[in-house]
Structures are given as structure tokens and as C-alpha cells.
């Protein structure tokens, strides 16, 4: 996710001039919806929400984020989607619009990927609220790109209709689920009290992923895209270093796929023929890293990274500890300067 909030285009029918944006592909009900990752502050597992006696029908509950009480919106109600219950595996996506911070309830986040402006199309119709901004084809299925500014304005100006409690009724209320949600809330409070989040402009966004038992992370701006290995044919190249798994053709570009565990630790990672290729954002090199599984996103202050770099001699791989978990932070610019990537 990018640090700087990109303003959403307000003119209907015009595709943004930005060549690429990063979107979180989410599942809401039975449909897929894309959310501009530049507006996402954090994604957290569904936790216990505060629920006063009266709230608008489209508000599932209240959530404390960065010292502020924000609305958690039942986006199904806003989009007039058939109401279906949430469960403890649902997610809360915290959004920063131009004038507001709010949260959306989603069933799950399917993917995070860069999308070029030529891959999205303006909606071929007009609605009163313009909640859907563009249409994007994701894995041959239509994916609606949410207009977060329109949704934010609607939430802000919508009358407080408390005649229906649909959003609240969709929340699990069995004793076992309530206990899990309450425990998560306590864990979240403890975590944020030790590491309070600043606004997104004060932090860099990193994507974490697993290779074997190791957990790595890469700055989102250093990532060009994510691609499922199962959907791409990889060709082994003879007379190359052991850490080169092979070449793949992605949209006409031949990408050299690197076994990052072998590259850094001289330990070959088990190759199962599955996983996700993370293509690095570089004009000079066409390089991808094979990840076993994509994990969560983390935010790290730039000054924290600067301190860590001073402690490392090569600066190519930096160990970072967050909430008791070890992340191996890949410094992509430094990595791309390493002579071992030049195949002779």
C-alpha cells in the first residue's frame, strides 16, 4: 500500500491517468469488490464491536482506532446486497478518505495486486450515489471498484435511520463466537497500547509472506504484481545458479523467478509447484520471488528502518521484530545491486 493518499477521480466515465494502482480484492456477500489500497490504513480480524442502544441501520458497530471512535459499516446494507451473516473469519478494513476515517466489514480479502488503468473500465451506467467507480475483470469474474469518497460522503450525510438493526443482526451472537471476538479485542488493545499506530503518511506499508518457515516482508512500492504460479508455466534455465528456479512469461515479459531462501541462506526451499510469484518493481531487472503464502500487511516507520540499516553491513536483508514476530525485511534496491544476480 502506498503512503500517499491518491485523490479519487470525481468525473464519471474517465479512467485515472495513474498508470497503476494497488487494489485489495475483497469478497462481500457473493460478489468481489476492489478497494484502493492507498486508502487502507489497516486490515484486522473481526473483533468485538461497541454497540450503543441506537445506531443507524447501516452501522454494524463502533471501533476505536488510533484514539478515535469510528463507524464500522455494514457495506452490504449500503450497496443493497442481500444480507448474509458475518462470521469470526470476517475482516474489518479501516479506510481513510479525504475527510473521514471509517471501517468496512468484508467477508475476506482474496488478493492484493497492482492494476493498470487499461485494465479497468468506467461503469456503463449512472446511479444516484455512484458507489461503484470502475469495473475490473479479476480472474475472468467482474470485480466492482468501490468509490470510497462517495461511500464516505453517504455515511456522513445519511439520516440516522434506526428503524432497522440489520447490521447488528448479521454479527454472530453465539457464546463461542462472542468469546473469540472479545479475546481478539483484548489482544488488539494490548498490541496497540504498546505500538500505537500513526496515520498512514507516517509509515511505509510492507507485504509479508512465507518461504518455508521464514517470514519475509517487502515494501509495497517495490512490488509490481502478484501472480499464482499454478496459472503460469515456469521453464528451468540450464547453467544458472541454484537460487534461480526458472523463467515465466507474464504479459510478454520474461521474469526470472528467485528462490529467496536459497539466495540469502543457501538453503533450498521445498518446491511444490504452487505458490505466488511476487514480481519486483524494477525497470532494469525482471525478477520475481516465489512465496509459499502471502501473509499480512505491516506498517513500519521509515526512521525505524533507517536505524536497522545502520546495524546491518550489507543492508540487503534486515531482521525486524514486530509484536514478538521476526520478519526478514528485503531491501529490494540493495538486492538488485548484488552482482550474484548477473548471470554470466
Amino acid at each position: 500500500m502506498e503512503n500517499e493518499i491518491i485523490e479519487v477521480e470525481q468525473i464519471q466515465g474517465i479512467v485515472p491517468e495513474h498508470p497503476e494502482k494497488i487494489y485489495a480484492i475483497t469478497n462481500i456477500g457473493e460478489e468481489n469488490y476492489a478497494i484502493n489500497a492507498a486508502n487502507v490504513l489497516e486490515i484486522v480480524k473481526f473483533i468485538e464491536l461497541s454497540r450503543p442502544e441506537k445506531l443507524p441501520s447501516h452501522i454494524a458497530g463502533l471501533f476505536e482506532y488510533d484514539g478515535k471512535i469510528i463507524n464500522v459499516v455494514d457495506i452490504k446494507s449500503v450497496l443493497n446486497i442481500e444480507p448474509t451473516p458475518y462470521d469470526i473469519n470476517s475482516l474489518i478494513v479501516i479506510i481513510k478518505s479525504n475527510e473521514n476515517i471509517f471501517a468496512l466489514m468484508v467477508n475476506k480479502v482474496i488478493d492484493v495486486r497492482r492494476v493498470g488503468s487499461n485494465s479497468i473500465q468506467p461503469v456503463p451506467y449512472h446511479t444516484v450515489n455512484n458507489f461503484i467507480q470502475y469495473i475490473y475483470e479479476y480472474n475472468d469474474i467482474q470485480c466492482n471498484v468501490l468509490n470510497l469518497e462517495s461511500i464516505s460522503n453517504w455515511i456522513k450525510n445519511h439520516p440516522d435511520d434506526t428503524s432497522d438493526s440489520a447490521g447488528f443482526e448479521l454479527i454472530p451472537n453465539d457464546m463461542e463466537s462472542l468469546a473469540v471476538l472479545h479475546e481478539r479485542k483484548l489482544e488488539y488493545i494490548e498490541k496497540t497500547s504498546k505500538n500505537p499506530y500513526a496515520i498512514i503518511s507516517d509509515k511505509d506499508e510492507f507485504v509479508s509472506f512465507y518461504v518455508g518457515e521464514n517470514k519475509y516482508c517487502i515494501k509495497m512500492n517495490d512490488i509490481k504484481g502478484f501472480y499464482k504460479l499454478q496459472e503460469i508455466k515456469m521453464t528451468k534455465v540450464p547453467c544458472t545458479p541454484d537460487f534461480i528456479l526458472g523463467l515465466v512469461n507474464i504479459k510478454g515479459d520474461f521474469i526470472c523467478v528467485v528462490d529467496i531462501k536459497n539466495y540469502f541462506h543457501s538453503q533450498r526451499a521445498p518446491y511444490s509447484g504452487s505458490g505466488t510469484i511476487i514480481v519486483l518493481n524494477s525497470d532494469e531487472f525482471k525478477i520475481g520471488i516465489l512465496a509459499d503464502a502471502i501473509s499480512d500487511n505491516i506498517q513500519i516507520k521509515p526512521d525505524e528502518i533507517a536505524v536497522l540499516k545502520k546495524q546491518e553491513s550489507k543492508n540487503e536483508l534486515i531482521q525486524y521484530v514486530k509484536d514478538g514476530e521476526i520478519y526478514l525485511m528485503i531491501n529490494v534496491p540493495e538486492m538488485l545491486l548484488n552482482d550474484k544476480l548477473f548471470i554470466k
Side-chain angles (χ1 to χ4, degrees):
M1 300 179 199
E2 299 169 274
N3 289 339
E4 186 177 357
I5 302 301
I6 300 174
E7 293 185 0
V8 177
E9 314 296 345
Q10 299 298 324
I11 303 174
Q12 287 292 321
I14 296 180
V15 177
E17 294 180 358
H18 307 291
E20 285 187 332
K21 287 185 180 180
I22 301 171
Y23 288 98
I25 311 299
T26 67
N27 179 261
I28 301 172
E30 300 297 325
E31 305 292 335
N32 292 336
Y33 291 84
I35 299 174
N36 190 344
N39 294 87
V40 177
L41 294 177
E42 189 178 356
I43 300 175
V44 299
K45 290 182 179 179
F46 187 17
I47 68 173
E48 182 183 57
L49 302 175
S50 300
R51 180 77 190 185
E53 290 184 6
K54 290 186 177 181
L55 280 176
S57 59
H58 57 277
I59 303 298
L62 303 179
F63 178 78
E64 183 174 350
Y65 177 77
D66 195 27
K68 305 179 183 67
I69 303 297
I70 63 175
N71 291 318
V72 179
V73 179
D74 171 29
I75 191 63
K76 297 176 185 177
S77 174
V78 176
L79 298 174
N80 290 321
I81 298 174
E82 182 70 24
T84 54
Y86 298 102
D87 58 39
I88 59 173
N89 296 316
S90 300
L91 299 172
I92 297 174
V93 183
I94 303 171
I95 304 292
K96 180 176 175 61
S97 66
N98 287 338
E99 298 181 356
N100 191 22
I101 295 179
F102 60 98
L104 301 177
M105 288 288 299
V106 304
N107 294 102
K108 59 183 177 180
V109 175
I110 305 171
D111 201 354
V112 178
R113 60 172 53 195
R114 288 182 179 267
V115 178
S117 59
N118 60 339
S119 299
I120 60 176
Q121 302 295 327
V123 291
Y125 53 83
H126 293 279
T127 60
V128 175
N129 296 304
N130 293 325
F131 291 149
I132 306 302
Q133 190 174 21
Y134 305 107
I135 295 175
Y136 164 59
E137 191 171 288
Y138 172 76
N139 290 350
D140 299 325
I141 299 175
Q142 178 178 307
C143 179
N144 298 312
V145 181
L146 293 179
N147 188 335
L148 298 175
E149 295 302 327
S150 293
I151 293 172
S152 175
N153 291 333
W154 186 89
I155 295 169
K156 184 178 179 181
N157 300 317
H158 194 68
D160 291 341
D161 176 17
T162 57
S163 60
D164 184 16
S165 58
F168 182 63
E169 291 176 350
L170 297 177
I171 294 176
N173 56 12
D174 61 281
M175 295 302 295
E176 185 177 352
S177 296
L178 291 175
V180 171
L181 298 178
H182 181 68
E183 183 65 26
R184 286 180 185 169
K185 181 178 181 179
L186 296 180
E187 292 174 357
Y188 185 82
I189 291 173
E190 181 181 6
K191 181 182 74 171
T192 53
S193 64
K194 293 179 180 178
N195 299 284
Y197 286 97
I199 61 174
I200 194 68
S201 59
D202 290 338
K203 292 177 179 282
D204 283 335
E205 192 77 15
F206 285 75
V207 175
S208 66
F209 59 93
Y210 283 97
V211 178
E213 70 282 4
N214 292 338
K215 194 170 189 179
Y216 299 85
C217 65
I218 295 180
K219 191 174 180 180
M220 179 62 86
N221 287 345
D222 290 328
I223 298 174
K224 189 173 184 178
F226 302 81
Y227 302 91
K228 297 293 184 183
L229 180 60
Q230 298 93 314
E231 302 170 3
I232 305 170
K233 181 182 178 180
M234 184 161 64
T235 304
K236 181 65 178 176
V237 181
C239 302
T240 55
D242 288 342
F243 61 80
I244 301 296
L245 292 172
L247 288 177
V248 294
N249 188 329
I250 299 178
K251 298 180 180 179
D253 286 332
F254 286 97
I255 309 296
C256 181
V257 181
V258 173
D259 173 359
I260 206 70
K261 188 173 182 180
N262 194 320
Y263 176 87
F264 282 118
H265 314 292
S266 298
Q267 299 174 2
R268 184 179 294 276
Y271 178 64
S272 63
S274 63
T276 300
I277 299 174
I278 305 174
V279 178
L280 303 184
N281 191 18
S282 171
D283 294 330
E284 186 176 357
F285 294 100
K286 307 293 184 182
I287 291 179
I289 292 170
L290 182 59
D292 293 331
I294 305 297
S295 186
D296 51 358
N297 289 4
I298 61 172
Q299 290 124 13
I300 306 173
K301 289 183 177 181
D303 56 355
E304 293 179 11
I305 300 173
V307 171
L308 289 169
K309 285 182 179 179
K310 292 177 182 178
Q311 298 173 353
E312 297 287 334
S313 57
K314 294 183 179 180
N315 288 335
E316 199 173 351
L317 187 68
I318 303 169
Q319 183 171 296
Y320 178 74
V321 179
K322 183 178 178 67
D323 300 331
E325 192 163 13
I326 298 175
Y327 296 83
L328 299 174
M329 183 188 303
I330 300 174
N331 186 345
V332 171
E334 289 289 335
M335 176 183 171
L336 295 179
L337 291 175
N338 196 320
D339 291 341
K340 66 192 286 187
L341 287 176
F342 293 86
I343 300 175
K344 301 178 180 178

